[in-house]
Amino acid sequence: QVQLVESGGGLVQAGGSLRLSCTASGDTFSAHGMDWFRQGPGKEREFVAAIDWSGSTFYAHSVQGRFTISRDNAKNTLYLQMNSLQPEDTAVYYCAADGRIRGPPNIRPEGMDYWGKGTLVTVSS
């Protein structure tokens, strides 16, 4: 069982930056694909960014060029650096882990096996 705990959310003005962190339990973190998803008010959960076990990254079009996903396997931690934030980025952000070992990238929430409880990001205009 993998436990994920997000942190780093908060209130920021439009144009500002935040860095989210997600700390994972267990000793096989480096072998799992990790994703960030978000769910805005009245919206469905949507894919934001993914990083696979090899370090390859993938982004939703809406955040490409503004957000950067990264991982520190020595610290069992996933990051999401968010720059040029806009009010439409307001959401609860979740990290998720793919339970497969060294599997292909997965950008569907249905394909993720473990979830954190989320951290709220609010961007004011």
Side-chain angles (χ1 to χ4, degrees):
Q1 187 75 12
V2 175
Q3 293 185 332
L4 304 173
V5 180
E6 303 97 335
S7 61
L11 174 64
V12 63
Q13 289 187 333
S17 299
L18 281 176
R19 188 176 80 155
L20 305 183
S21 300
C22 172
T23 301
S25 65
D27 56 6
T28 61
F29 174 79
S30 63
H32 295 278
M34 299 292 298
D35 289 17
W36 287 99
F37 291 84
R38 67 185 181 186
Q39 188 164 13
K43 298 181 180 180
E44 294 186 353
R45 191 167 299 190
E46 64 175 357
F47 169 75
V48 175
I51 184 166
D52 71 8
W53 63 272
S54 71
S56 296
T57 58
F58 309 86
Y59 296 93
H61 290 304
S62 59
V63 307
Q64 182 81 44
R66 299 188 298 125
F67 291 10
T68 302
I69 189 172
S70 61
R71 64 193 301 163
D72 185 336
N73 292 331
K75 295 182 178 180
N76 273 22
T77 301
L78 176 73
Y79 301 100
L80 185 68
Q81 177 66 45
M82 305 185 295
N83 299 328
S84 301
L85 283 161
Q86 299 301 316
E88 52 266 35
D89 295 315
T90 294
V92 177
Y93 283 72
Y94 300 89
C95 73
D98 186 335
R100 296 172 297 177
I101 298 295
R102 298 184 183 86
N106 191 341
I107 65 171
R108 300 180 304 110
E110 297 81 6
M112 307 306 287
D113 297 291
Y114 304 101
W115 292 84
K117 294 183 178 181
T119 185
L120 176 62
V121 172
T122 303
V123 184
S124 63
S125 57

